[in-house]
Amino acid sequence: MSFIPMEKQHFVIYLSIGLLSLSLLTECDKIQLVGPSRCSGRVEIFHRDRWGTVCDDQWSLANADVACRELDCGTALEAKKAAFFGEGKNEIWLDDVHCTGTEASILKCPHRPIGENNCGHSEDAGVICSDHVKAINGSNRCNGRVEVYHNGRWNRVCNMEWQKKEAEVMCREINCGTPAVQTEVPHFGEANILGGLKINCFGNESSLSQCTIQEVKENCVDATTLCTHSKPIRLMNGTNRCSGRVEVYHDGQWGTICDDRWGMQEAAVACREMNCGNALSVKYKAFFGIGQDQVWLDDVECTGHEKSIAECPHRGFGEHDCDHSEDAGVVCSETVKLSNGTDACSGRLEVYHDGRWGKMCNNNWGPEEAAVVCRELYCGTPKKILENFGESALRGFTSRCSGNVSSIAQCGIEDFTGRCEGVSLSCEGSPQVRLVNGTDRCSGRVEVLHDGQWGTVCDDEWDIKDAQVVCRAMDCGTAQTAKSGSFFGQGQGSIWLDDVRCFGNETTLLHCRHPTLGENNCGHAEDAGVVCSATIRLINGTGQCSGRVELHHAGRWSPAYYINWGMSEAEVVCRMMNCGDPVKVSGSFGRGKETRGYKIKCGGRESSLTQCNLRDYMRTSSDRVEEAGVECSGNVRLADGHSRCVGRVEFYDKGEWGTVCGDAWDVNDATVVCRQLGCGRAHKISTMADYGHGTGQTWIEQIECNGLESTLTQCPQRPFRDKTCNVTSVAGVLCTGALEVRLANGKDECSGRVEVRHGEEWSTVCDTEWTHSKAAEVCTHLECGDVVSAPIGAHFSQGNGSVVEASNSCFDNATSIKQCSLRGFRSSTCGHEKDAGAVCAAKIQLVGGAGQCSGRVEVHYKGQWGTVCDDEWEMPNADVVCKQLGCGHAVSAPASAHFGRGSGPIWLDNVNCNGEESALTQCQHPGFGENNCGHGEDAGVVCLGALQKPQITLSPGPEVNWGDRVDITCTVLTEHLGGTFVLKRTPGTFKMEKYSENEAATFSFPSVDFPQKGSYFCEYQKRMASQVINYPQGNIAELSVIVKLETPSISLTSPHAMVVYSPDKISIKEGNSFSVTCSIHSRYPGGYFYLTKSNMNSTEPKPAFGHTIFYLASFEFPAVKYEHQGDYQCVYGVNVSAESFCSVPSKSLQVTVIVASSSSVVTGVLVGLVLVLLVVVAGYLLWRRQWRISDTLVQFTNRFGGGIKQDADERSNGAYDGRARNTQVSEPAQSQVPDDKNVDVDNSVERVPEDLAGRVCYELEPLVLS
């Protein structure tokens, strides 16, 4: 035995505590509230190193309660929707969150996969928590035992000095009105701690935290509260206190609840609120008689865990479409309930006696008493196995039953004062569901038991979630398919259920939402069925095709152990689960509770694990063997496309892959495939074998998805009824994940933030060079019609990831977009606040009318023409159609296929325009393809007549210099002269109007600036006596504002004889001095010159001086050194309207430095004298021309008596060289700013402001070194 020294023990303890704290911190750091206080705000989740929001779809008080508890913020007061606390940014991480209210974290609640949503930030969810106070163990959030957050923790409040003033403050703080008058103090349990808090208030405080709070050490009785806004309920006209018509108290009046969506979850909440036992049944159609006065609630949808009916989502008090013939009722157990169990038929037994609940002690408890309770709760017979569902602090009772009793209350119940060990009870449960006519016990037609009679279930709304409930209730593993169309034959007798809608986590089909039992509109040809996995299930995976393997063998579920577990075994599992091919095996899906399991060895061709070699294995507490897990490919894939997100649809079933018949293939089916593969949305479907016919069989069943399913297996499948499948028609799809460009975060896939793909990475596009024409290319590429606008400035919210430039080479046409997607886009320095967007509008046409301005409305979407349904089809809709087609105003909006029935898809329904939109698809509508219509409802329009688009011309042209005058003229050919021309620019809201009696109007910009660049178009309006005629929007004209800088000159000048000298190269002796002068003709003053050197990486700016249009600057070299040797060029930089521009460099001047020697001094002097004479002569000849040219002046100073040596070709350059003068458009240079740390500037030179244009022109070393 070895011992650890004390110091190391301390270290181990501290390290363990630190690691535990780290894990706690990580868990707690996954949620935050962004709002006015620590306990109210927009809910945000931390995932992948980024904070993101939660969508408000299905957002409820139960969800808010989990968030508040996770944040240690007490009870949820309100669950806020519609970005109540402002719109967030970045990702929307969670959607369709559906908490029961008991989870430890919002991330533990059921929800869509993280990052998958159909929301915008206008739907961000928020919460308001109670912050400092909460009511515990009450029937709802407005009553219970009081706890207060004090000194960093929650503590109970003692009832010493707890009076009306304190209760008033609390009720006000938690938005529950005022304290109710309590004729008797209800019992809300007791805190299991010693001491508590004593609180004294004046009564006018807004929070208990503002009252005087004093800690007390001695034991005390808990303070309780009951506030008036509790919205209490009552049960009327029943046989006892726990049955009857449900009524709720609101606004001083009792009212009933409509039975729409009324089910067992709602009944469970009502029974708990009434302090009754388990919910036994729900009642519909005013079973307990017709109520009076108001119908307060309708469409109530509880999870079953809320504290009161009023907390469940509903239409709103008084909002309903019912009458009292639909009053809802409930039957609860009056004297018995099972708590803390795994289902409604198991748990800790509690009984109601002498006005309060207590636990049943197992003294004198036997099989006869257990049978009475199970029978009373409609739960069959007691199970033989013993389970423990925990203890409670309630008082104890004993009971002994004899004779024929129907309720435990009929047995003798007595108080028990000794040590009481509570009874835990598990009942078998009634066989409420069975599977008939299947191939094994876990497949067949679904039948349910009601009123002692078996009946079938109609397949309306029948899907994989409903099948999951059936498979779980039958202990049959995982649901594989939901069958419809009496797949397992037609049943007999009643059809008990129709329109079943389960969440998937219910324990029985009768707990799912459904109409009244026996109410249906079906025949037995629509009987529903299921196929369950029977002998295998996957636990704790990311979907039904991954997880920990459990095998049903020898009458129980047991784990498969990760011992010699490989791809052969995984292949059998994936085949059994109908999940395609194995991808990988692992032991990373957690541990189950079972210790007894199997070691399994397969060959890979078996149809079931039970056919493999199974050997028992018992895991010990010290055993580190993991349980086996698999990840399968899934039962759908896309083949023969250019990426995994495009191709022929192949479906895996019965152990083989096959193609899907394309006869009934539609966009809903394709949407599910793309979602299942993680490929975004369906962009375009194919039914004509565009991706080949494939090999193997073709699945000829008709797949009928509604588009909301997460996998293709969840979609109903049924045989074709009136025809057989044409097997030459093969289903295919192009998902948005395979596109080179997409539009994100818009209302549909034809509007949104522009994102481009390179490989598997998506990037946003910078709006600096974004134009209307580039947005048009995106619209064309996506087959989304014409561009409407090109928004900038992250109009569709900021994206994430990298940002690329909107270069002309990549957005010139569809081919260039594809090429850049393959080779990569040019990276940009923009931030996401400059993300570019595009809004496209589908093309439309009018068919079947007298001309192009009347007929059936058809929309071109995804390469196919389709019609518009006439639901809500009004004149404003028709007006938009006429305007988009250039046909004036609408005269009428005919419905009911007035111009004949169309064919193909019905693209739009419930269109709602305000008349101001420029295109039909910009109006509000549910989405492309979303409709409930037939072609007998095709919409049409009759327009006033064809109108010409106004034309636009730019003068002097589409490209102008900054500061120039620009005239934009709008012209229209019309007989309606005397109208208003409107000039608009995109992006932005710019608009100018001008009335004209003629056919044209001119808009002028006297001095154009950069913000005025963009895409301009004209509109024309003519006001008549009874209407305004809006002409169609004119064509787009792009206006570019540029800065043109001349090419500067570089030259040398002698200081003694003013001689202009512009050589290409020159030699200078070391130690001599000279200066270089840069000059330019420019209309832009206030600039700086830079003298750049070839072998340096930064430069020093010099301010330019001069007047009118001629500017220059000199660079002095007082003592030439060898490091000054090199090629020099001049560059001119200037700031224009807060943007920086640089000229192209001048021609090069090559400077060679010659090392001087003492023996050549005399020779140098003589040569110098000769040169002086030559320079004087040359200078005289050039004297008269020096002020008329923009040259570089060079000064020679010979401090040491040395001359400047030149060869013959250098002297030939003494004349002015005009070859350097040219013109070039200069672009903003914003990416070449030199690092200040590398610049060593002579302090005698005037320092240049850091934001000057020249600073970004070149990154070269300074020439003048101190």
Side-chain angles (χ1 to χ4, degrees):
M1 180 180 293
S2 61
F3 294 90
I4 301 175
M6 185 62 67
E7 297 81 10
K8 292 188 176 180
Q9 288 183 20
H10 289 166
F11 173 74
V12 171
I13 292 171
Y14 294 149
L15 179 61
S16 302
I17 293 173
L19 291 174
L20 286 171
S21 301
L22 181 60
S23 65
L24 289 172
L25 177 63
T26 303
E27 181 70 16
C28 293
D29 203 32
K30 289 181 179 175
I31 183 171
Q32 69 177 9
L33 298 182
V34 180
S37 72
R38 77 175 187 94
C39 290
S40 64
R42 181 177 63 250
V43 181
E44 295 196 351
I45 301 299
F46 194 69
H47 179 67
R48 292 183 182 171
D49 298 326
R50 290 173 71 100
W51 287 101
T53 62
V54 178
C55 180
D56 64 10
D57 293 347
Q58 299 193 36
W59 188 248
S60 67
L61 205 61
N63 301 344
D65 219 21
V66 173
C68 292
R69 186 167 56 253
E70 186 175 1
L71 290 160
D72 206 16
C73 280
T75 305
L77 302 183
E78 295 183 59
K80 291 296 187 181
K81 297 185 177 184
F84 181 85
F85 292 103
E87 295 187 11
K89 298 181 179 179
N90 301 325
E91 297 291 340
I92 299 173
W93 284 133
L94 293 182
D95 189 13
D96 293 334
V97 180
H98 195 83
C99 302
T100 64
T102 60
E103 294 84 353
S105 168
I106 198 82
L107 295 172
K108 300 292 177 63
C109 302
H111 54 75
R112 285 194 183 194
I114 293 182
E116 183 179 302
N117 67 82
N118 58 356
C119 309
H121 281 295
S122 61
E123 300 171 78
D124 285 345
V127 298
I128 298 177
C129 310
S130 58
D131 201 350
H132 294 101
V133 65
K134 59 185 176 183
I136 302 294
N137 292 347
S139 61
N140 58 63
R141 67 179 184 84
C142 293
N143 62 71
R145 179 168 54 80
V146 182
E147 288 194 0
V148 167
Y149 191 76
H150 182 64
N151 288 339
R153 65 187 181 92
W154 290 96
N155 203 345
R156 72 171 173 179
V157 176
C158 300
N159 73 346
M160 54 182 72
E161 302 186 29
W162 180 264
Q163 297 178 6
K164 185 180 179 182
K165 298 193 302 294
E166 288 73 27
E168 284 178 344
V169 174
M170 178 179 176
C171 292
R172 185 163 57 245
E173 181 173 1
I174 61 177
N175 294 334
C176 284
T178 58
V181 177
Q182 302 182 40
T183 55
E184 62 178 74
V185 179
H187 181 72
F188 296 115
E190 296 178 358
N192 295 320
I193 59 173
L194 188 64
L197 301 175
K198 184 172 68 174
I199 297 182
N200 291 101
C201 303
F202 290 105
N204 58 357
E205 296 88 349
S206 60
S207 170
L208 284 180
S209 62
Q210 298 170 358
C211 300
T212 302
I213 301 177
Q214 179 183 350
E215 293 192 18
V216 295
K217 301 297 185 184
E218 65 271 16
N219 200 8
C220 66
V221 178
D222 294 78
T224 62
T225 190
L226 181 68
C227 305
T228 55
H229 282 191
S230 298
K231 306 293 183 192
I233 66 168
R234 67 183 182 184
L235 300 179
M236 300 297 294
N237 214 29
T239 58
N240 56 46
R241 73 178 185 90
C242 290
S243 66
R245 180 179 63 250
V246 184
E247 295 189 356
V248 61
Y249 189 75
H250 172 68
D251 201 19
Q253 187 177 2
W254 290 97
T256 61
I257 298 176
C258 181
D259 63 10
D260 294 346
R261 304 191 180 184
W262 186 252
M264 287 299 287
Q265 287 96 331
E266 291 72 30
V269 175
C271 292
R272 185 164 54 251
E273 188 172 359
M274 288 299 300
N275 201 24
C276 295
N278 293 35
L280 301 180
S281 64
V282 293
K283 298 298 181 181
Y284 305 95
K285 302 299 181 186
F287 180 88
F288 292 104
I290 293 175
Q292 303 294 322
D293 300 321
Q294 293 286 340
V295 177
W296 275 135
L297 295 179
D298 189 13
D299 292 336
V300 180
E301 294 188 78
C302 305
T303 64
H305 297 271
E306 293 87 354
K307 291 185 177 181
S308 73
I309 285 290
E311 290 182 10
C312 301
H314 53 78
R315 282 194 179 190
F317 281 94
E319 296 290 330
H320 63 88
D321 56 3
C322 309
D323 57 34
H324 284 295
S325 65
E326 299 174 76
D327 286 346
V330 67
V331 176
C332 315
S333 61
E334 183 181 13
T335 57
V336 64
K337 64 182 176 183
L338 297 176
S339 300
N340 203 39
T342 56
D343 56 36
C345 291
S346 65
R348 182 176 62 242
L349 178 61
E350 297 176 5
V351 294
Y352 190 80
H353 183 63
D354 286 344
R356 56 177 173 155
W357 289 94
K359 65 181 178 181
M360 183 63 71
C361 306
N362 61 12
N363 305 62
N364 302 325
W365 184 260
E368 189 172 349
E369 288 75 23
V372 170
V373 173
C374 289
R375 188 165 57 249
E376 182 176 358
L377 294 176
Y378 301 157
C379 283
T381 59
K383 289 183 179 179
K384 294 180 180 180
I385 61 172
L386 296 177
E387 297 183 75
N388 191 321
F389 296 105
E391 284 290 335
S392 73
L394 297 175
R395 65 172 177 166
F397 297 118
T398 59
S399 177
R400 179 172 291 280
C401 298
S402 62
N404 187 19
V405 295
S406 59
S407 169
I408 194 71
Q410 298 171 359
C411 303
I413 298 178
E414 298 177 354
D415 283 303
F416 186 77
T417 56
R419 184 176 181 276
C420 173
E421 184 177 335
V423 171
S424 287
L425 180 63
S426 294
C427 308
E428 292 286 353
S430 298
Q432 295 177 321
V433 64
R434 69 182 182 184
L435 299 178
V436 179
N437 211 31
T439 57
D440 56 26
R441 73 177 185 89
C442 292
S443 64
R445 180 177 63 250
V446 180
E447 295 190 355
V448 296
L449 182 65
H450 177 63
D451 282 347
Q453 181 183 354
W454 289 98
T456 61
V457 178
C458 180
D459 62 10
D460 293 346
E461 307 285 342
W462 188 251
D463 62 19
I464 199 72
K465 294 179 181 178
D466 309 322
Q468 284 283 21
V469 174
V470 173
C471 292
R472 186 184 304 108
M474 296 293 296
D475 199 26
C476 281
T478 306
Q480 292 187 324
T481 55
K483 295 295 186 181
S484 56
S486 62
F487 182 86
F488 292 103
Q490 296 187 17
Q492 303 291 325
S494 299
I495 299 174
W496 285 131
L497 291 178
D498 188 15
D499 295 324
V500 179
R501 285 171 294 173
C502 302
F503 288 115
N505 57 0
E506 295 86 351
T507 57
T508 172
L509 206 58
L510 295 176
H511 288 178
C512 301
R513 288 177 175 79
H514 58 80
T516 304
L517 286 167
E519 182 180 304
N520 67 81
N521 58 355
C522 309
H524 282 294
E526 299 171 80
D527 285 344
V530 300
V531 176
C532 311
S533 60
T535 58
I536 192 170
R537 63 187 181 192
L538 299 179
I539 306 295
N540 211 31
T542 56
Q544 79 177 68
C545 289
S546 66
R548 185 176 69 246
V549 180
E550 289 191 359
L551 175 69
H552 193 270
H553 188 60
R556 63 186 176 85
W557 288 98
S558 303
Y561 285 109
Y562 196 48
I563 303 173
N564 299 323
W565 181 267
M567 294 298 283
S568 296
E569 291 72 28
E571 189 172 355
V572 177
V573 171
C574 293
R575 186 180 302 120
M576 291 178 70
M577 292 296 297
N578 214 33
C579 281
D581 302 320
V583 175
K584 68 177 181 179
V585 297
S586 70
S588 59
F589 292 102
R591 276 193 171 202
K593 296 180 180 179
E594 292 291 332
T595 57
R596 180 183 171 189
Y598 296 99
K599 292 192 296 185
I600 302 177
K601 182 65 178 177
C602 302
R605 296 184 178 274
E606 296 86 351
S607 59
S608 171
L609 284 181
T610 57
Q611 299 174 1
C612 301
N613 183 15
L614 304 181
R615 296 182 61 186
D616 286 329
Y617 184 88
M618 182 68 73
R619 183 173 58 192
T620 64
S621 58
S622 60
D623 201 337
R624 295 188 177 182
V625 172
E626 295 179 315
E627 295 170 26
V630 301
E631 183 177 327
C632 309
S633 64
N635 58 2
V636 68
R637 67 186 181 190
L638 298 179
D640 291 341
H642 65 264
S643 78
R644 72 176 189 88
C645 292
V646 57
R648 179 180 65 252
V649 180
E650 294 191 349
F651 185 64
Y652 185 88
D653 191 29
K654 300 181 179 65
E656 62 177 318
W657 289 97
T659 57
V660 175
C661 178
D663 273 3
W665 187 249
D666 61 22
V667 69
N668 287 339
D669 307 327
T671 296
V672 174
V673 168
C674 293
R675 181 183 298 120
Q676 182 174 350
L677 294 173
C679 289
R681 298 173 293 189
H683 177 69
K684 191 175 183 180
I685 66 172
S686 166
T687 60
M688 301 303 295
D690 291 348
Y691 305 101
H693 288 278
T695 58
Q697 84 170 70
T698 298
W699 302 116
I700 59 174
E701 284 198 332
Q702 188 174 358
I703 298 175
E704 296 181 342
C705 305
N706 59 30
L708 301 177
E709 299 86 353
S710 56
T711 67
L712 203 61
T713 307
Q714 296 176 4
C715 301
Q717 300 175 34
R718 66 181 86 238
F720 285 92
R721 292 179 178 173
D722 303 324
K723 64 175 183 178
T724 58
C725 171
N726 177 7
V727 294
T728 62
S729 176
V730 179
V733 62
L734 169 64
C735 305
T736 55
L739 294 171
E740 293 79 17
V741 62
R742 68 185 180 190
L743 298 176
N745 212 36
K747 71 175 183 179
D748 54 43
E749 63 183 270
C750 289
S751 64
R753 181 178 59 248
V754 180
E755 296 183 354
V756 292
R757 180 178 60 85
H758 175 52
E760 294 296 316
E761 181 185 0
W762 287 92
S763 305
T764 62
V765 178
C766 177
D767 64 14
T768 300
E769 299 179 60
W770 189 243
T771 63
H772 197 274
S773 59
K774 292 174 181 177
E777 290 300 332
V778 170
C779 293
T780 301
H781 189 77
L782 294 175
E783 298 184 73
C784 283
D786 300 320
V787 62
V788 174
S789 62
I792 60 173
H795 177 80
F796 293 101
S797 82
Q798 296 186 23
N800 52 53
S802 58
V803 184
V804 301
E805 291 183 359
S807 57
N808 294 332
S809 59
C810 287
F811 290 91
D812 187 45
N813 51 53
T815 302
S816 64
I817 294 176
K818 289 182 178 180
Q819 289 174 346
C820 287
S821 179
L822 289 173
R823 66 173 183 257
F825 294 83
R826 187 184 304 164
S827 180
S828 171
T829 59
C830 287
H832 284 293
E833 70 280 357
K834 292 178 69 65
D835 284 345
V839 177
C840 314
K843 291 181 171 67
I844 61 173
Q845 65 180 9
L846 299 180
V847 178
Q852 66 177 9
C853 291
S854 65
R856 180 178 63 251
V857 182
E858 294 194 352
V859 178
H860 192 260
Y861 179 68
K862 298 299 174 61
Q864 190 174 6
W865 287 99
T867 63
V868 178
C869 181
D870 62 10
D871 293 348
E872 300 186 33
W873 188 251
E874 303 289 348
M875 283 296 288
N877 304 346
D879 240 0
V880 172
V881 170
C882 295
K883 182 168 58 175
Q884 185 176 352
L885 291 171
C887 288
H889 274 282
V891 176
S892 64
S896 303
H898 178 82
F899 293 101
R901 293 172 179 253
S903 59
I906 299 174
W907 282 134
L908 297 178
D909 188 15
N910 297 120
V911 180
N912 186 5
C913 305
N914 59 30
E916 298 299 320
E917 297 87 354
S918 58
L920 185 64
T921 52
Q922 281 189 288
C923 302
Q924 295 295 320
H925 59 83
F928 288 99
E930 296 289 332
N931 70 84
N932 57 355
C933 309
H935 283 295
E937 301 171 78
D938 285 345
V941 300
V942 177
C943 306
L944 184 64
L947 300 173
Q948 294 292 323
K949 292 182 179 180
Q951 302 299 311
I952 186 171
T953 55
L954 305 179
S955 176
E959 186 176 275
V960 296
N961 279 314
W962 179 89
D964 282 354
R965 177 186 178 88
V966 176
D967 292 322
I968 302 179
T969 302
C970 299
T971 307
V972 66
L973 296 176
T974 177
E975 59 188 30
H976 304 114
L977 294 178
T980 301
F981 287 93
V982 182
L983 180 66
K984 293 184 177 180
R985 181 183 69 233
T986 60
T989 58
F990 170 86
K991 183 171 76 170
M992 294 177 69
E993 296 184 358
K994 182 174 285 189
Y995 176 82
S996 175
E997 292 286 351
N998 304 312
E999 60 185 14
T1002 299
F1003 302 87
S1004 298
F1005 300 113
S1007 180
V1008 72
D1009 201 350
F1010 297 118
Q1012 290 163 332
K1013 68 181 179 181
S1015 305
Y1016 288 84
F1017 60 90
C1018 299
E1019 293 179 350
Y1020 183 70
Q1021 300 174 344
K1022 173 62 179 179
R1023 293 187 178 274
M1024 309 292 283
S1026 59
Q1027 64 177 333
V1028 177
I1029 301 176
N1030 290 300
Y1031 279 55
Q1033 177 182 309
N1035 295 326
I1036 297 290
E1038 303 279 356
L1039 176 64
S1040 299
V1041 180
I1042 62 172
V1043 169
K1044 289 184 179 179
L1045 295 177
E1046 304 288 340
T1047 303
S1049 297
I1050 184 170
S1051 56
L1052 308 171
T1053 304
S1054 167
H1056 303 297
M1058 298 295 292
V1059 178
V1060 176
Y1061 202 58
S1062 300
D1064 288 330
K1065 54 185 176 180
I1066 191 169
S1067 299
I1068 305 175
K1069 282 190 177 183
E1070 187 178 24
N1072 288 358
S1073 63
F1074 73 98
S1075 73
V1076 176
T1077 300
C1078 301
S1079 61
I1080 191 171
H1081 285 85
S1082 174
R1083 61 185 293 179
Y1084 305 106
Y1088 284 77
F1089 279 106
Y1090 300 80
L1091 189 60
T1092 68
K1093 185 163 175 258
S1094 57
N1095 59 350
M1096 296 295 182
N1097 60 5
S1098 65
T1099 184
E1100 177 199 5
K1102 290 253 186 173
F1105 63 91
H1107 60 89
T1108 313
I1109 61 169
F1110 182 72
Y1111 303 94
L1112 55 85
S1114 295
F1115 294 85
E1116 303 290 341
F1117 291 79
V1120 177
K1121 299 180 181 179
Y1122 182 74
E1123 56 264 29
H1124 292 154
Q1125 180 169 292
D1127 293 334
Y1128 292 92
Q1129 291 178 304
C1130 291
V1131 176
Y1132 184 67
V1134 66
N1135 269 5
V1136 178
S1137 190
E1139 293 192 29
S1140 303
F1141 298 88
C1142 296
S1143 72
V1144 296
S1146 68
K1147 72 170 187 175
S1148 294
L1149 170 63
Q1150 182 182 356
V1151 175
T1152 303
V1153 177
I1154 301 173
V1155 180
S1157 62
S1158 58
S1159 61
S1160 62
V1161 172
V1162 176
T1163 305
V1165 171
L1166 294 175
V1167 172
L1169 291 173
V1170 173
L1171 284 174
V1172 168
L1173 292 174
L1174 291 174
V1175 169
V1176 169
V1177 174
Y1180 176 75
L1181 295 175
L1182 297 173
W1183 178 260
R1184 289 173 297 175
R1185 297 178 57 190
Q1186 64 180 337
W1187 299 112
R1188 291 176 300 185
I1189 59 175
S1190 66
D1191 261 332
T1192 307
L1193 307 179
V1194 183
Q1195 298 176 353
F1196 298 85
T1197 304
N1198 188 348
R1199 287 185 193 168
F1200 304 99
I1204 298 176
K1205 181 180 178 182
Q1206 296 172 302
D1207 49 30
D1209 61 332
E1210 288 171 337
R1211 286 192 292 270
S1212 69
N1213 292 323
Y1216 168 74
D1217 184 359
R1219 292 173 296 172
R1221 186 181 301 274
N1222 58 30
T1223 301
Q1224 178 161 335
V1225 177
S1226 303
E1227 299 184 357
Q1230 300 175 355
S1231 59
Q1232 302 175 351
V1233 180
D1235 192 341
D1236 285 347
K1237 293 182 290 185
N1238 296 330
V1239 180
D1240 185 11
V1241 184
D1242 189 341
N1243 292 330
S1244 65
V1245 181
E1246 181 181 354
R1247 186 167 295 277
V1248 181
E1250 289 187 356
D1251 61 343
L1252 286 174
R1255 191 169 185 277
V1256 300
C1257 293
Y1258 287 86
E1259 297 179 354
L1260 301 173
E1261 289 291 340
L1263 292 175
V1264 181
L1265 305 175
S1266 58

